[in-house]
Amino acid sequence: MKIFGVGMNYLPHNKELESALSQHGVDGEAARQPVIFTKADSALLKDGKPFFVPDFMGRIDYETELVVRVCRLGKGIAERFANRYYDAVTVGIDFTARDMQQRLRADGLPWDVCKGFDGSAVVGEWVEKDLLRDIRTLTFRGEVNGHVVQQACAADMIFGIDRLVSYISTFFTLKTGDIIFTGTPAGVGPVAVGDHITGFVEERKVLDFCVR
């Protein structure tokens, strides 16, 4: 199983992080292709299990994202056929060691450690795509201790889900069970021991876990 992440896929989030994309706008050089990274399989956290904060890594931020599950083998998938290659969606948390990420970015180094550490890819309960309305206009949100901290619509993505599936399959053979975190909207923030995090697709609660 492979875990893919997408960086800088919502303009408001890019602006809050003062990324290069926000400086050039969505038509600039930085926006021409999706920003893709991977997480180790040991990053996967599911079934409502608690997330244990690795306090030796500094500040850890939550990033609430819409996540899709790959259901077919595919390579070089045309965008117009991409919707055939995923069958379910959920909400996930892409935990990020923010202090470490900032240092790595400043030095021009890869993000693997700050993005792919154990437990950093939390996924909720999968919802079959056919049970939902048009996935391109799905809304989702994340809550911390009962307060909404992030919410967005899939239509707000710079690169839509089908585009991401097609692009990723250009470089990696997608296999059944692979998952794709599609990017986070604005509102990321630090987690603390004792936090209770929940996530919703539309009004369906699919994610519920605690921070230890």
Side-chain angles (χ1 to χ4, degrees):
M1 181 203 68
K2 299 184 290 298
I3 303 171
F4 296 99
V6 179
M8 301 184 293
N9 203 26
Y10 290 85
L11 190 57
H13 170 62
N14 303 340
K15 289 179 177 178
E16 75 179 353
L17 292 184
E18 299 180 345
S19 72
L21 183 58
S22 69
Q23 297 170 17
H24 295 289
V26 296
D27 294 325
E29 182 68 28
R32 291 183 181 173
Q33 302 292 350
V35 175
I36 305 299
F37 59 92
T38 60
K39 288 175 175 271
D41 57 4
S42 60
L44 185 65
L45 187 65
K46 59 183 181 177
D47 301 327
K49 294 178 181 177
F51 171 72
F52 291 91
V53 178
D55 50 12
F56 63 92
M57 296 182 72
R59 170 174 164 167
I60 304 296
D61 278 6
Y62 58 79
E63 297 188 5
T64 308
E65 310 194 9
L66 200 62
V67 185
V68 298
R69 183 179 67 191
V70 175
C71 63
R72 296 175 61 182
L73 182 72
K75 171 71 174 175
I77 302 164
E79 185 173 347
R80 67 184 182 277
F81 299 130
N83 66 332
R84 303 177 183 177
Y85 288 83
Y86 55 92
D87 65 350
V89 301
T90 191
V91 168
I93 302 294
D94 168 20
F95 278 118
T96 302
R98 190 68 69 198
D99 294 337
M100 184 175 291
Q101 184 189 42
Q102 291 173 346
R103 291 195 299 270
L104 292 170
R105 289 176 65 185
D107 293 338
L109 298 174
W111 297 1
D112 299 58
V113 174
C114 70
K115 282 286 194 180
F117 58 92
D118 287 355
S120 62
V122 188
V123 294
E125 175 188 352
W126 293 105
V127 181
E128 297 298 321
K129 182 177 65 173
D130 293 343
L131 299 178
L132 298 165
R133 63 188 180 90
D134 189 346
I135 196 170
R136 295 169 296 181
T137 58
L138 282 181
T139 59
F140 67 98
R141 71 180 188 272
E143 298 182 358
V144 177
N145 302 323
H147 301 285
V148 177
V149 292
Q150 291 184 278
Q151 54 187 342
C153 176
D156 298 330
M157 295 178 186
I158 296 172
F159 301 101
I161 294 172
D162 289 352
R163 171 69 174 127
L164 295 174
V165 170
S166 175
Y167 183 77
I168 292 171
S169 75
T170 303
F171 306 96
F172 302 91
T173 297
L174 293 178
K175 297 182 178 181
T176 300
D178 289 348
I179 60 177
I180 302 172
F181 283 71
T182 60
T184 192
V188 303
V191 294
V193 172
D195 281 345
H196 178 208
I197 298 179
T198 51
F200 297 77
V201 173
E202 301 287 336
E203 295 305 315
R204 184 193 300 251
K205 183 163 73 171
V206 295
L207 183 69
D208 192 330
F209 70 100
C210 293
V211 179
R212 303 295 190 202

